[in-house]
Amino acid sequence: MAQPNDSRSESIKLLDNKSAQARDSRVTATLKPQVERPSFNQFYYWLRNRNGFRHTAYKNSILPFSENYKDFAGRKGDSYVNITGFGQRFELDETPLDEELRSLLFPGLKVGKATLYMLVDAYTDYVIGFYLTFGSPSVLEVSNALYQCFRDRYSWLKSIDCLGFIDDWEEVNPPLTLVVDNAEFNNSLSESIVKGLNTKIEFGKPGCGNDKPFIESLFSRTKGYLPDLSKAYKSVSQNGQRTNSARKHAFLTSREMSKILMENIVYHNNYLPNDKKELPKEAIEDGVAKIPRDLLRWAVENGNSYMQPKLSDIELRS
């Protein structure tokens, strides 16, 4: 078979597309074996070096000074390129749920929307745990969230009445680096939260949610899993008693919402493949599926783990 001569054919040949066809060329492009195909970052590096500033995609990637300063000033640009194992970088964030809830003890009492804390690993996209609370974001709530995520799985699942999912979770230790918002951690009170965890804290830039893209995309997917057919579902809260019709129709408790979240997160961790995930060459050769739990187990078994020593519940509380 003749070799394509133009750069466009050569570019398409490297793309991960089973029906790759060289556009505007008489030569059919063939794909390399999966273990020899470059990642997107490698392909972009090669394409930039080959075509330089002449390439249209590279020209479009050049941002104005104001945009570049807002989003990238002070960053090295290697936050995720150098992540090589599980536990090297965890991301923690919170978001309000869109479902109005009622009280667990007093069924007739409508308590409003809950705040959802989630912790995710950047290497595997594995959800370490979640925490549902009605309190406002604070040092106290974020410390409770970390405690629930790092305590032993049996105690955590029992506290939220989800022991039926005990076999679907992996025991996880504190990470090497924890990426958080400035709000809860940028004060002297937060120093006690990570005391004894041997974990380094990294702060996201104010107003830049893309500092934690994994947790932000996970929030979007998790909210997409939840049914929006309930009359108590409303994305925007209204404080007025007459106008807040969603709160009047609240029928789920925090326990019931935790079970709904549990089902969706377990499905994400254990069964949902991420086709956009770029696996390391060794994982591809070992036949690891693009599923968070499978990648986690492979990383731990092969020594690609940065988890810190396991702490007991008493040590986590102190």
Side-chain angles (χ1 to χ4, degrees):
M1 179 180 296
Q3 296 295 326
N5 297 322
D6 59 324
S7 60
R8 180 176 297 181
S9 301
E10 208 166 326
S11 302
I12 296 177
K13 182 177 179 180
L14 293 174
L15 295 178
D16 189 4
N17 184 1
K18 294 182 180 180
S19 59
Q21 180 73 27
R23 180 182 292 181
D24 299 337
S25 175
R26 298 179 181 179
V27 180
T28 301
T30 57
L31 292 175
K32 292 185 176 182
Q34 188 174 9
V35 295
E36 298 181 8
R37 297 176 196 172
S39 65
F40 176 81
N41 293 329
Q42 291 172 331
F43 174 73
Y44 183 78
Y45 177 81
W46 169 86
L47 190 63
R48 184 180 59 184
N49 286 349
R50 180 180 178 86
N51 297 294
F53 293 96
R54 296 175 299 167
H55 199 272
T56 304
Y58 183 74
K59 290 181 180 179
N60 295 338
S61 67
I62 301 177
L63 299 176
F65 174 78
S66 58
E67 292 293 325
N68 180 77
Y69 183 81
K70 177 177 69 70
D71 291 336
F72 301 104
R75 303 187 192 180
K76 297 179 180 180
D78 57 357
S79 298
Y80 302 101
V81 176
N82 296 329
I83 296 179
T84 58
F86 176 77
Q88 186 175 352
R89 180 185 176 98
F90 283 2
E91 296 178 359
L92 175 69
D93 206 353
E94 83 283 339
T95 185
L97 290 180
D98 296 331
E99 185 80 16
E100 299 281 350
L101 303 178
R102 62 182 176 90
S103 173
L104 182 64
L105 301 177
F106 305 98
L109 178 62
K110 317 300 183 182
V111 293
K113 295 182 178 180
T115 300
L116 174 65
Y117 283 86
M118 294 185 68
L119 187 66
V120 62
D121 174 60
Y123 181 74
T124 61
D125 290 342
Y126 186 86
V127 179
I128 309 302
F130 67 91
Y131 173 63
L132 204 62
T133 178
F134 290 100
S136 301
S138 63
V139 174
L140 176 62
E141 295 298 346
V142 78
S143 62
N144 289 333
L146 290 176
Y147 170 71
Q148 296 295 340
C149 292
F150 290 142
R151 67 189 303 198
D152 68 280
R153 304 287 90 174
Y154 179 86
S155 301
W156 171 54
L157 294 174
K158 184 179 180 180
S159 66
I160 58 177
D161 197 20
C162 291
L163 269 180
F165 297 90
I166 185 65
D167 295 331
D168 297 316
W169 286 89
E170 303 289 329
E171 290 287 346
V172 177
N173 302 349
L176 180 66
T177 304
L178 180 64
V179 186
V180 298
D181 284 333
N182 288 268
E184 295 91 343
F185 276 86
N186 196 8
N187 53 71
S188 59
L189 295 176
S190 61
E191 295 179 0
S192 60
I193 298 179
V194 294
K195 184 179 180 181
L197 295 182
N198 296 324
T199 297
K200 177 184 176 183
I201 297 295
E202 288 188 5
F203 295 98
K205 293 185 66 176
C208 294
N210 56 0
D211 273 350
K212 305 186 298 296
F214 294 100
I215 189 68
E216 296 294 345
S217 62
L218 184 60
F219 277 146
S220 300
R221 293 197 299 268
T222 303
K223 288 186 176 182
Y225 297 149
L226 302 179
D228 57 354
L229 302 178
S230 168
K231 292 183 179 180
Y233 181 93
K234 198 167 188 178
S235 58
V236 179
S237 296
Q238 294 177 338
N239 296 327
Q241 185 176 1
R242 296 182 179 180
T243 57
N244 195 355
S245 58
R247 183 166 299 180
K248 298 177 182 179
H249 294 92
F251 66 97
L252 290 176
T253 65
S254 58
R255 291 288 179 87
E256 294 167 340
M257 178 56 69
S258 295
K259 289 184 178 180
I260 295 175
L261 290 170
M262 180 69 66
E263 292 175 356
N264 291 303
I265 293 175
V266 166
Y267 174 74
H268 163 83
N269 279 347
N270 302 344
Y271 305 103
L272 183 64
N274 185 2
D275 296 332
K276 297 181 180 180
K277 187 69 176 179
E278 296 181 1
L279 298 181
K281 179 180 179 180
E282 295 79 8
I284 297 176
E285 293 176 344
D286 292 342
V288 180
K290 294 183 177 181
I291 297 176
R293 183 176 64 175
D294 293 353
L295 186 56
L296 183 156
R297 291 178 174 177
W298 175 86
V300 173
E301 291 175 358
N302 289 271
N304 295 347
S305 174
Y306 293 85
M307 290 190 296
Q308 304 303 302
K310 183 69 176 178
L311 299 178
S312 64
D313 284 7
I314 299 178
E315 292 174 320
L316 289 173
R317 284 183 178 275
S318 60

